[in-house]
Amino acid sequence: CGIFGIFNHAEASNLTYLGLYALQHRGQESCGIVSSDGTSLHAHKSMGLVADVFGNQEIFKSLPGKSAIGHVRYSTTGSSVIKNVQPIMVDYSRGSIAVAHNGNIVNAQIIKDELEAYGSIFQTTMDTEIIVHLLATSKANSLLDRISDSLNRIKGAYCLLFLTETRMVAIRDPNGFRPLCLGKLGSSYVVASESCALDLIDAEFIREIEPGEVIIITKDGLTSYFPLQKAEPTPCIFEFVYFARPDSYIFGKNVYQVRKEMGRQLAREHKVDADIVIPIPDSGVPSALGYAEESGIRFELGLIRNHYVGRTFIEPQQAIRHFGVKIKLNPVRDVLKDKRVVVIDDSIVRGTTSRKIVKMIRNAGAKEVHVRISSPPTSYPCYYGIDTPNRKELISSSHSIDEIRKYITADTLGYLSEDGLIGSVGTENTGYCRACFTGSYPVKFPRLGIAPQLD
Ligand code: 5GP
Ligand code: SF4
Ligand code: MG
């Protein structure tokens, strides 16, 4: 998911719309904005893409006020239905509060059971709602104490934005799984999942919000606190591999440069004699450039992507046949014909898309197809906010690299090593979470059988 918030700006909800638009890659299922006019909160949210949900200027009349938070959703917990669209807004004894969450809480079910036993009634199936209930039922007096009370009970990954009538609060969990940054636009503070959202609205990047940091913004300014139990930071390395936008700066690095280095390292680890290097657009582009640079093999665009196909595209029900990946990608025959081709992608999840793409490249006349993946095999699911399928569906959890090569019908297949990945990201922080590659989960699950199933 992606979150964005702005405090103290006359165009707060309009700017939040733009910020969410820049974060669209982090979630395409649904989106929403909640604004505050100083005395009450206003919400507009719906299923669909940002431009579709907020395309009508009239909507902003219903989102008045000088502060706003927004959310783009891609579901990791809770099904994809309208009641699960964020930000969630609730009224309780102390007023109203809205929350937008990026991440995944691993002890959600246990806390939910407890809260329900004490009479809480949940409106959604999202783990995010638990945070709201904890806040609402906390007996502490100050907002900061209620937040630390509540958050010290939850485990997992969370970047949060809260909006009350008069305050905006930004929080990054002690492990710092997901990125979150702070910016300034004139005298307004801005918070966003990725810096690309600050760029779009011409806000200045100030710094990243630190793991475990709670920032409270009021009309008197910004105050930073560290009230949460400390942990060794474990930012998500997969943000660099796939999730974040290449123009963003996250965890102190530019994503594009990191991806390009992954490609160079991939070329050093898995050389092959070939005529051209092509990316699987868009996620494979920077690493394909790096591979081409390091190997000296020419970079070409052998597959063209239709940029208007969202993840939500549904083929016509009565289709004569299944068009599948062809809806999104089409080969350039003149580029591929009679060539020995190196194809670069960021990851193989189920293997089904990769298999179709290799066939497509061969059908376009390629003589050889060598697949190179700019990360290690994805053998384990993520429980910290990235929507990977369960273990059984991850092809590398039960197949050797050679079996995967055969399945996707490639001539050769090479994955970036774990050391190569760490080296590309930089060795200053070796604490990156890379559990989807290693199975070593930095935040444990409280009760087996309820939260994540490890096999
Ligand atoms: P597969 O061959 O496993 O079917 O698909 C691999 C493709 O899925 C890669 O191109 C990769 O960019 C993409 N991918 C990796 N992780 C995710 C994810 O979390 N969500 C989506 N939609 N695609 C992903
Ligand atoms: Fe990121 Fe993988 Fe860790 Fe999930 S398991 S937080 S995707 S590195
Ligand atoms: Mg891809």
Side-chain angles (χ1 to χ4, degrees):
C1 302
I3 58 178
F4 182 93
I6 183 161
F7 192 86
N8 186 34
H9 196 289
E11 299 283 330
S13 49
N14 256 306
L15 288 167
T16 302
Y17 161 59
L18 289 171
L20 293 182
Y21 194 62
L23 297 173
Q24 184 78 79
H25 62 288
R26 297 186 69 88
Q28 298 89 26
E29 254 173 43
S30 64
C31 55
I33 296 176
V34 171
S35 71
S36 167
D37 60 13
T39 49
S40 54
L41 300 186
H42 306 267
H44 181 80
K45 43 189 198 170
S46 179
M47 304 298 293
L49 298 174
V50 177
D52 298 331
V53 173
F54 292 98
N56 176 354
Q57 274 297 317
E58 289 297 301
I59 288 164
F60 296 100
K61 291 189 185 144
S62 67
L63 292 169
K66 291 178 76 172
S67 50
I69 62 170
H71 188 266
V72 288
R73 176 172 156 90
Y74 137 103
S75 63
T76 51
T77 67
S79 46
S80 178
V81 290
I82 182 74
K83 69 172 181 187
N84 284 349
V85 179
Q86 293 194 37
I88 311 180
M89 191 167 83
V90 290
D91 297 316
Y92 70 118
S93 57
R94 299 171 202 262
S96 304
I97 192 162
V99 60
H101 170 210
N102 170 211
N104 190 39
I105 297 166
V106 299
N107 62 341
Q109 192 60 47
I110 294 179
I111 298 183
K112 192 170 175 184
D113 291 347
E114 284 171 21
L115 286 165
E116 279 177 337
Y118 284 97
S120 287
I121 295 165
F122 285 82
Q123 295 162 20
T124 75
T125 58
M126 283 182 294
D127 55 353
T128 311
E129 198 184 355
I130 289 160
I131 300 169
V132 184
H133 279 270
L134 286 172
L135 270 181
T137 53
S138 166
K139 304 222 162 27
N141 275 322
S142 74
L143 179 64
L144 181 67
D145 287 346
R146 287 198 292 284
I147 286 172
S148 45
D149 243 21
S150 310
L151 296 186
N152 277 328
R153 291 182 60 188
I154 67 175
K155 289 189 188 340
Y158 51 88
C159 278
L160 295 166
L161 269 174
F162 289 107
L163 187 69
T164 71
E165 293 84 347
T166 54
R167 286 179 280 199
M168 184 166 91
V169 184
I171 304 165
R172 192 160 163 225
D173 72 69
N175 287 79
F177 280 106
R178 304 276 143 237
L180 192 65
C181 65
L182 178 69
K184 219 168 173 198
L185 178 62
S187 58
S188 317
Y189 282 106
V190 185
V191 175
S193 291
E194 289 181 38
S195 62
C196 64
L198 304 183
D199 296 340
L200 174 58
I201 63 161
D202 275 336
E204 179 199 349
F205 176 89
I206 297 182
R207 63 177 177 87
E208 290 184 60
I209 293 175
E210 288 177 43
E213 185 172 8
V214 174
I215 287 180
I216 300 186
I217 303 167
T218 68
K219 64 174 178 18
D220 300 321
L222 175 154
T223 329
S224 157
Y225 306 90
F226 288 86
L228 307 177
Q229 283 149 23
K230 294 233 172 329
E232 277 305 310
T234 54
C236 167
I237 209 161
F238 197 67
E239 291 273 350
F240 283 121
V241 172
Y242 169 80
F243 207 48
R245 236 169 72 163
D247 49 337
S248 287
Y249 287 77
I250 59 165
F251 314 144
K253 306 265 160 149
N254 169 226
V255 177
Y256 177 86
Q257 298 291 3
V258 170
R259 278 191 196 156
K260 211 170 159 195
E261 184 52 30
M262 289 171 185
R264 287 193 202 101
Q265 180 61 21
L266 191 55
R268 292 189 279 265
E269 292 182 12
H270 297 285
K271 287 197 181 63
V272 61
D273 276 334
D275 305 305
I276 56 172
V277 176
I278 68 164
I280 297 187
D282 291 320
S283 49
V285 175
S287 24
L289 283 165
Y291 193 101
E293 196 177 287
E294 182 69 26
S295 64
I297 305 169
R298 194 170 81 238
F299 176 89
E300 289 280 5
L301 292 177
L303 295 166
I304 302 300
R305 174 171 172 187
N306 180 335
H307 280 271
Y308 305 93
V309 181
R311 264 211 255 162
T312 43
F313 183 85
I314 297 162
E315 284 187 58
Q317 285 284 305
Q318 301 298 321
I320 300 155
R321 61 199 174 98
H322 181 63
F323 292 95
V325 73
K326 284 204 284 186
I327 292 165
K328 191 166 163 187
L329 294 171
N330 195 34
V332 185
R333 285 171 186 281
D334 281 52
V335 170
L336 300 169
K337 195 169 176 333
D338 299 326
K339 296 292 195 313
R340 296 169 301 167
V341 183
V342 182
V343 186
I344 313 282
D345 204 356
D346 60 277
S347 52
I348 296 178
V349 182
R350 293 183 175 86
T352 46
T353 322
S354 309
R355 179 183 164 99
K356 287 175 192 155
I357 290 171
V358 172
K359 286 198 166 141
M360 179 185 269
I361 294 167
R362 272 196 216 283
N363 289 340
K367 253 189 343 208
E368 293 171 15
V369 183
H370 304 278
V371 175
R372 297 289 179 272
I373 303 295
S374 61
S375 64
T378 309
S379 305
Y380 302 88
C382 174
Y383 301 115
Y384 310 125
I386 297 280
D387 184 25
T388 40
N390 63 36
R391 257 209 103 181
K392 283 194 209 83
E393 290 173 61
L394 292 170
I395 190 167
S396 57
S397 73
S398 53
H399 294 79
S400 68
I401 291 176
D402 198 53
E403 285 166 344
I404 301 170
R405 180 195 66 73
K406 283 197 188 110
Y407 177 74
I408 66 172
T409 74
D411 292 285
T412 65
L413 169 64
Y415 284 91
L416 185 61
S417 66
E418 198 193 333
D419 285 348
L421 175 64
I422 300 282
S424 309
V425 172
T427 45
E428 312 88 349
N429 176 3
T430 49
Y432 284 104
C433 176
R434 42 193 187 272
C436 46
F437 306 122
T438 61
S440 164
Y441 292 92
V443 170
K444 304 291 175 232
F445 319 115
R447 207 202 288 166
L448 267 154
I450 288 203
Q453 291 279 341
L454 287 185
D455 44 10

